[in-house]
Amino acid sequence: DQALSSPNHAPADIETVTEKPDSESNANFSMRDIFGRLYTWMFSLYSISYDIAYFNTLNIAPFYLKEIIGGKSTIISYLTGSLSFVTAGSTLVLSWLFQKLDSYLDWLHCRLAFILIPMFIQAIIFCSFPHVKSFGIASFLLVMSSFASGAHFSGSMVTANVEIDPVNAPVILTFTNGCGQMAGFIGPNLMAALTNIEDERKGWGRFFYVMMGFAMLGIVGILFSVCVRPKEWQNRSKSGEAYGLDKSISSVVDNPSFLNADANGERESVKSP
Protein backbone atom coordinates (compact mmCIF):
# COMPACT_ATOMS: atom_id res chain seq x y z
CA ASP A 1 0.00 0.00 0.00
CA GLN A 2 2.84 2.37 0.88
CA ALA A 3 4.54 1.74 -2.43
CA LEU A 4 1.38 2.47 -4.35
CA SER A 5 0.73 5.71 -2.49
CA SER A 6 4.31 6.91 -2.76
CA PRO A 7 4.81 9.96 -5.00
CA ASN A 8 7.75 8.19 -6.59
CA HIS A 9 5.37 5.65 -8.11
CA ALA A 10 2.99 7.07 -10.68
CA PRO A 11 -0.24 5.19 -11.35
CA ALA A 12 0.08 2.52 -14.00
CA ASP A 13 -0.49 3.75 -17.49
CA ILE A 14 -3.95 3.05 -18.78
CA GLU A 15 -3.78 1.58 -22.24
CA THR A 16 -6.76 2.30 -24.44
CA VAL A 17 -7.29 -0.22 -27.16
CA THR A 18 -9.70 0.60 -29.92
CA GLU A 19 -10.93 -2.33 -31.94
CA LYS A 20 -13.82 -3.26 -34.06
CA PRO A 21 -16.08 -5.96 -32.69
CA ASP A 22 -16.35 -9.12 -34.65
CA SER A 23 -20.11 -8.62 -34.79
CA GLU A 24 -19.82 -6.03 -37.55
CA SER A 25 -17.96 -8.24 -39.99
CA ASN A 26 -20.06 -11.25 -39.02
CA ALA A 27 -23.30 -9.32 -39.51
CA ASN A 28 -22.23 -8.18 -42.98
CA PHE A 29 -21.20 -11.68 -43.93
CA SER A 30 -24.45 -12.99 -42.52
CA MET A 31 -26.46 -10.85 -44.93
CA ARG A 32 -24.37 -12.11 -47.83
CA ASP A 33 -24.93 -15.62 -46.53
CA ILE A 34 -28.70 -15.15 -46.30
CA PHE A 35 -29.01 -13.93 -49.88
CA GLY A 36 -26.58 -16.58 -51.05
CA ARG A 37 -28.97 -19.34 -50.06
CA LEU A 38 -30.96 -20.84 -52.87
CA TYR A 39 -34.06 -21.42 -50.76
CA THR A 40 -34.28 -17.69 -49.96
CA TRP A 41 -34.84 -16.88 -53.63
CA MET A 42 -37.09 -19.88 -54.22
CA PHE A 43 -39.20 -18.86 -51.22
CA SER A 44 -39.47 -15.41 -52.81
CA LEU A 45 -40.62 -16.97 -56.09
CA TYR A 46 -43.10 -19.12 -54.19
CA SER A 47 -44.42 -16.04 -52.36
CA ILE A 48 -45.13 -14.37 -55.69
CA SER A 49 -46.99 -17.49 -56.86
CA TYR A 50 -48.97 -17.72 -53.62
CA ASP A 51 -49.94 -14.05 -53.56
CA ILE A 52 -50.98 -14.17 -57.20
CA ALA A 53 -53.31 -17.04 -56.36
CA TYR A 54 -54.56 -15.35 -53.18
CA PHE A 55 -55.10 -11.83 -54.51
CA ASN A 56 -56.62 -13.00 -57.76
CA THR A 57 -59.07 -15.18 -55.85
CA LEU A 58 -60.22 -12.28 -53.70
CA ASN A 59 -60.00 -9.35 -56.09
CA ILE A 60 -60.03 -10.45 -59.74
CA ALA A 61 -62.06 -13.65 -60.00
CA PRO A 62 -65.29 -11.89 -58.89
CA PHE A 63 -65.06 -9.79 -62.07
CA TYR A 64 -65.02 -13.02 -64.03
CA LEU A 65 -68.14 -14.16 -62.21
CA LYS A 66 -69.88 -10.90 -63.08
CA GLU A 67 -68.76 -10.29 -66.68
CA ILE A 68 -68.48 -13.81 -68.09
CA ILE A 69 -70.70 -16.08 -66.00
CA GLY A 70 -73.30 -13.41 -65.30
CA GLY A 71 -73.63 -13.66 -61.53
CA LYS A 72 -75.59 -11.15 -59.49
CA SER A 73 -73.58 -8.38 -57.87
CA THR A 74 -75.17 -8.87 -54.44
CA ILE A 75 -74.36 -12.57 -54.31
CA ILE A 76 -70.83 -11.97 -55.58
CA SER A 77 -70.21 -9.36 -52.89
CA TYR A 78 -71.35 -11.75 -50.15
CA LEU A 79 -69.22 -14.51 -51.64
CA THR A 80 -66.15 -12.29 -51.82
CA GLY A 81 -66.61 -11.16 -48.23
CA SER A 82 -66.86 -14.72 -46.99
CA LEU A 83 -63.64 -15.88 -48.70
CA SER A 84 -61.44 -14.23 -46.06
CA PHE A 85 -63.29 -16.11 -43.34
CA VAL A 86 -62.80 -19.33 -45.28
CA THR A 87 -59.04 -18.72 -45.33
CA ALA A 88 -59.02 -17.98 -41.60
CA GLY A 89 -61.01 -21.11 -40.82
CA SER A 90 -58.84 -23.28 -43.06
CA THR A 91 -55.76 -22.07 -41.19
CA LEU A 92 -57.14 -23.64 -38.00
CA VAL A 93 -58.21 -26.84 -39.72
CA LEU A 94 -54.96 -27.27 -41.62
CA SER A 95 -52.92 -26.49 -38.50
CA TRP A 96 -54.62 -29.42 -36.77
CA LEU A 97 -53.98 -31.62 -39.81
CA PHE A 98 -50.37 -30.47 -39.94
CA GLN A 99 -49.78 -31.56 -36.35
CA LYS A 100 -51.24 -34.98 -37.10
CA LEU A 101 -49.16 -35.52 -40.23
CA ASP A 102 -46.04 -34.22 -38.52
CA SER A 103 -46.12 -37.23 -36.21
CA TYR A 104 -46.29 -39.69 -39.14
CA LEU A 105 -44.08 -38.11 -41.79
CA ASP A 106 -40.50 -36.95 -41.50
CA TRP A 107 -39.81 -33.23 -41.25
CA LEU A 108 -38.91 -32.58 -44.89
CA HIS A 109 -41.75 -34.54 -46.51
CA CYS A 110 -44.35 -33.04 -44.16
CA ARG A 111 -43.26 -29.48 -44.98
CA LEU A 112 -43.06 -30.18 -48.68
CA ALA A 113 -46.56 -31.65 -48.61
CA PHE A 114 -48.00 -28.45 -47.11
CA ILE A 115 -45.97 -26.27 -49.47
CA LEU A 116 -46.57 -28.08 -52.76
CA ILE A 117 -50.01 -29.71 -52.54
CA PRO A 118 -52.02 -26.50 -51.84
CA MET A 119 -50.20 -24.73 -54.67
CA PHE A 120 -50.93 -27.64 -57.00
CA ILE A 121 -54.61 -27.36 -56.05
CA GLN A 122 -54.46 -23.67 -56.96
CA ALA A 123 -52.99 -24.57 -60.35
CA ILE A 124 -55.83 -27.03 -61.02
CA ILE A 125 -58.41 -24.41 -60.05
CA PHE A 126 -56.88 -21.83 -62.38
CA CYS A 127 -56.85 -24.38 -65.20
CA SER A 128 -60.52 -25.22 -64.56
CA PHE A 129 -61.92 -21.69 -64.51
CA PRO A 130 -61.96 -21.11 -68.29
CA HIS A 131 -64.15 -24.21 -68.74
CA VAL A 132 -66.70 -23.36 -66.03
CA LYS A 133 -70.02 -21.85 -67.07
CA SER A 134 -72.01 -22.45 -63.88
CA PHE A 135 -72.01 -19.82 -61.17
CA GLY A 136 -72.32 -22.49 -58.47
CA ILE A 137 -69.27 -24.44 -59.66
CA ALA A 138 -67.24 -21.26 -60.05
CA SER A 139 -68.16 -20.21 -56.51
CA PHE A 140 -67.14 -23.64 -55.22
CA LEU A 141 -63.74 -23.28 -56.93
CA LEU A 142 -63.23 -19.89 -55.30
CA VAL A 143 -64.02 -21.34 -51.88
CA MET A 144 -61.61 -24.22 -52.44
CA SER A 145 -58.91 -21.79 -53.56
CA SER A 146 -59.36 -19.74 -50.39
CA PHE A 147 -59.29 -22.89 -48.28
CA ALA A 148 -56.00 -23.98 -49.86
CA SER A 149 -54.54 -20.53 -49.18
CA GLY A 150 -54.77 -21.21 -45.43
CA ALA A 151 -51.93 -23.76 -45.68
CA HIS A 152 -49.52 -20.86 -46.17
CA PHE A 153 -49.78 -20.08 -42.45
CA SER A 154 -50.01 -23.64 -41.12
CA GLY A 155 -47.03 -25.78 -42.02
CA SER A 156 -46.12 -24.25 -45.35
CA MET A 157 -43.39 -21.76 -46.21
CA VAL A 158 -43.80 -19.59 -43.10
CA THR A 159 -43.33 -22.57 -40.76
CA ALA A 160 -40.45 -24.07 -42.75
CA ASN A 161 -38.68 -20.72 -42.88
CA VAL A 162 -38.64 -20.41 -39.09
CA GLU A 163 -37.50 -23.98 -38.61
CA ILE A 164 -34.67 -23.81 -41.18
CA ASP A 165 -33.06 -20.73 -39.66
CA PRO A 166 -34.70 -19.51 -36.42
CA VAL A 167 -32.16 -16.69 -35.97
CA ASN A 168 -32.61 -14.98 -39.36
CA ALA A 169 -36.16 -16.07 -40.14
CA PRO A 170 -37.63 -12.54 -39.66
CA VAL A 171 -35.17 -11.08 -42.19
CA ILE A 172 -35.83 -13.81 -44.76
CA LEU A 173 -39.60 -13.64 -44.26
CA THR A 174 -39.57 -9.86 -44.68
CA PHE A 175 -37.69 -10.16 -47.97
CA THR A 176 -39.78 -13.00 -49.36
CA ASN A 177 -43.03 -11.35 -48.31
CA GLY A 178 -41.91 -8.10 -49.93
CA CYS A 179 -41.29 -9.95 -53.19
CA GLY A 180 -44.70 -11.57 -52.90
CA GLN A 181 -46.40 -8.20 -52.71
CA MET A 182 -45.46 -7.62 -56.34
CA ALA A 183 -48.37 -9.91 -57.14
CA GLY A 184 -50.66 -7.04 -56.15
CA PHE A 185 -49.88 -5.24 -59.41
CA ILE A 186 -48.78 -8.19 -61.57
CA GLY A 187 -52.21 -9.80 -61.51
CA PRO A 188 -54.38 -6.76 -62.36
CA ASN A 189 -52.03 -5.61 -65.13
CA LEU A 190 -51.98 -9.05 -66.69
CA MET A 191 -55.75 -9.24 -66.45
CA ALA A 192 -56.14 -5.87 -68.17
CA ALA A 193 -53.69 -6.79 -70.92
CA LEU A 194 -54.98 -10.29 -71.66
CA THR A 195 -58.72 -9.61 -71.48
CA ASN A 196 -58.66 -6.49 -73.64
CA ILE A 197 -59.74 -8.36 -76.74
CA GLU A 198 -63.02 -8.84 -78.58
CA ASP A 199 -63.58 -12.37 -77.25
CA GLU A 200 -63.54 -11.71 -73.51
CA ARG A 201 -64.02 -15.35 -72.53
CA LYS A 202 -60.96 -16.30 -74.55
CA GLY A 203 -59.01 -13.48 -72.94
CA TRP A 204 -60.00 -14.59 -69.45
CA GLY A 205 -58.99 -18.11 -70.37
CA ARG A 206 -55.52 -16.92 -71.28
CA PHE A 207 -55.32 -15.00 -68.03
CA PHE A 208 -56.15 -18.04 -65.89
CA TYR A 209 -53.68 -20.19 -67.81
CA VAL A 210 -50.95 -17.65 -67.08
CA MET A 211 -51.92 -17.74 -63.41
CA MET A 212 -51.63 -21.53 -63.51
CA GLY A 213 -48.14 -21.08 -64.93
CA PHE A 214 -47.16 -18.88 -61.99
CA ALA A 215 -48.43 -21.52 -59.57
CA MET A 216 -46.45 -24.25 -61.30
CA LEU A 217 -43.39 -22.00 -61.32
CA GLY A 218 -43.54 -21.76 -57.53
CA ILE A 219 -43.77 -25.55 -57.25
CA VAL A 220 -40.82 -26.08 -59.59
CA GLY A 221 -38.76 -23.51 -57.67
CA ILE A 222 -39.22 -25.30 -54.34
CA LEU A 223 -38.42 -28.71 -55.85
CA PHE A 224 -35.35 -27.24 -57.55
CA SER A 225 -34.13 -25.84 -54.22
CA VAL A 226 -34.59 -29.16 -52.42
CA CYS A 227 -32.87 -31.17 -55.15
CA VAL A 228 -29.92 -28.84 -55.75
CA ARG A 229 -29.16 -27.85 -52.14
CA PRO A 230 -30.74 -30.42 -49.82
CA LYS A 231 -28.41 -29.48 -46.94
CA GLU A 232 -30.18 -26.12 -46.65
CA TRP A 233 -33.43 -27.93 -45.84
CA GLN A 234 -32.83 -29.03 -42.25
CA ASN A 235 -34.82 -28.46 -39.09
CA ARG A 236 -32.70 -26.42 -36.69
CA SER A 237 -35.43 -25.15 -34.37
CA LYS A 238 -35.44 -28.14 -32.00
CA SER A 239 -31.70 -28.79 -31.92
CA GLY A 240 -30.87 -25.14 -31.22
CA GLU A 241 -28.22 -25.22 -33.96
CA ALA A 242 -27.69 -21.96 -35.78
CA TYR A 243 -27.50 -21.81 -39.56
CA GLY A 244 -23.91 -21.77 -40.79
CA LEU A 245 -21.93 -18.74 -39.68
CA ASP A 246 -24.89 -17.36 -37.74
CA LYS A 247 -23.64 -19.43 -34.81
CA SER A 248 -20.85 -16.88 -34.35
CA ILE A 249 -23.44 -14.10 -34.36
CA SER A 250 -25.32 -15.80 -31.55
CA SER A 251 -22.15 -16.01 -29.50
CA VAL A 252 -21.45 -12.31 -30.07
CA VAL A 253 -24.95 -11.34 -29.01
CA ASP A 254 -24.58 -13.38 -25.83
CA ASN A 255 -21.24 -11.71 -25.06
CA PRO A 256 -21.94 -8.71 -22.77
CA SER A 257 -18.58 -7.10 -23.57
CA PHE A 258 -20.08 -5.66 -26.73
CA LEU A 259 -22.92 -3.93 -24.94
CA ASN A 260 -20.64 -0.90 -24.49
CA ALA A 261 -19.98 -0.55 -28.21
CA ASP A 262 -20.25 3.04 -29.40
CA ALA A 263 -22.17 4.27 -32.40
CA ASN A 264 -19.21 3.74 -34.74
CA GLY A 265 -19.02 0.07 -33.91
CA GLU A 266 -15.90 0.55 -31.80
CA ARG A 267 -15.32 -0.05 -28.10
CA GLU A 268 -12.74 0.86 -25.56
CA SER A 269 -11.15 -1.73 -23.32
CA VAL A 270 -9.16 -0.67 -20.25
CA LYS A 271 -6.10 -2.68 -19.43
CA SER A 272 -5.57 -2.79 -15.72
CA PRO A 273 -2.01 -2.82 -14.31
Side-chain angles (χ1 to χ4, degrees):
D1 295 340
Q2 183 178 1
L4 292 176
S5 61
S6 173
N8 296 328
H9 295 79
D13 295 335
I14 299 178
E15 179 181 358
T16 302
V17 180
T18 302
E19 58 181 356
K20 283 188 176 183
D22 294 336
S23 60
E24 182 177 349
S25 59
N26 284 338
N28 292 334
F29 190 84
S30 174
M31 294 303 296
R32 293 196 298 269
D33 177 55
I34 288 175
F35 293 107
R37 304 172 191 174
L38 181 60
Y39 83 86
T40 301
W41 298 100
M42 294 302 101
F43 275 179
S44 302
L45 179 62
Y46 181 88
S47 293
I48 295 176
S49 301
Y50 166 79
D51 286 343
I52 281 180
Y54 181 72
F55 289 133
N56 288 335
T57 301
L58 291 179
N59 302 326
I60 298 180
F63 290 97
Y64 178 77
L65 297 179
K66 174 65 176 178
E67 298 176 4
I68 305 301
I69 298 182
K72 295 182 179 180
S73 302
T74 305
I75 299 178
I76 294 176
S77 62
Y78 284 127
L79 174 63
T80 305
S82 63
L83 294 179
S84 299
F85 294 98
V86 173
T87 303
S90 68
T91 302
L92 300 177
V93 175
L94 293 176
S95 296
W96 173 83
L97 181 61
F98 169 76
Q99 295 175 3
K100 295 296 183 181
L101 290 179
D102 197 26
S103 60
Y104 293 100
L105 301 177
D106 61 89
W107 179 84
L108 179 60
H109 288 89
C110 184
R111 272 54 180 182
L112 287 179
F114 271 76
I115 293 175
L116 300 179
I117 294 178
M119 187 60 71
F120 187 71
I121 294 175
Q122 299 279 17
I124 295 177
I125 291 175
F126 281 131
C127 182
S128 302
F129 257 116
H131 307 284
V132 173
K133 299 181 180 180
S134 170
F135 180 81
I137 297 178
S139 301
F140 174 76
L141 291 177
L142 286 178
V143 172
M144 292 302 299
S145 177
S146 297
F147 187 88
S149 299
H152 190 69
F153 309 101
S154 53
S156 183
M157 192 197 73
V158 176
T159 304
N161 177 50
V162 175
E163 293 173 336
I164 291 176
D165 187 1
V167 177
N168 296 306
V171 177
I172 299 174
L173 184 60
T174 300
F175 176 73
T176 56
N177 186 59
C179 293
Q181 296 306 308
M182 291 190 296
F185 60 85
I186 291 177
N189 281 281
L190 282 176
M191 185 267 289
L194 294 176
T195 60
N196 190 22
I197 58 177
E198 184 177 354
D199 189 351
E200 292 188 0
R201 177 175 286 274
K202 184 177 180 180
W204 277 98
R206 292 177 179 177
F207 168 74
F208 284 119
Y209 287 138
V210 171
M211 296 299 101
M212 180 193 68
F214 273 103
M216 296 304 299
L217 189 62
I219 294 175
V220 172
I222 295 297
L223 292 176
F224 177 76
S225 175
V226 175
C227 294
V228 174
R229 295 188 182 177
K231 292 184 178 180
E232 292 182 348
W233 289 77
Q234 296 180 15
N235 184 10
R236 299 172 177 84
S237 60
K238 295 183 179 179
S239 62
E241 177 187 358
Y243 190 105
L245 293 180
D246 294 343
K247 181 179 296 184
S248 61
I249 295 178
S250 301
S251 63
V252 169
V253 173
D254 295 335
N255 187 358
S257 63
F258 290 104
L259 294 177
N260 296 325
D262 60 8
N264 296 324
E266 300 178 352
R267 63 182 178 88
E268 294 183 354
S269 61
V270 179
K271 184 179 180 180
S272 59

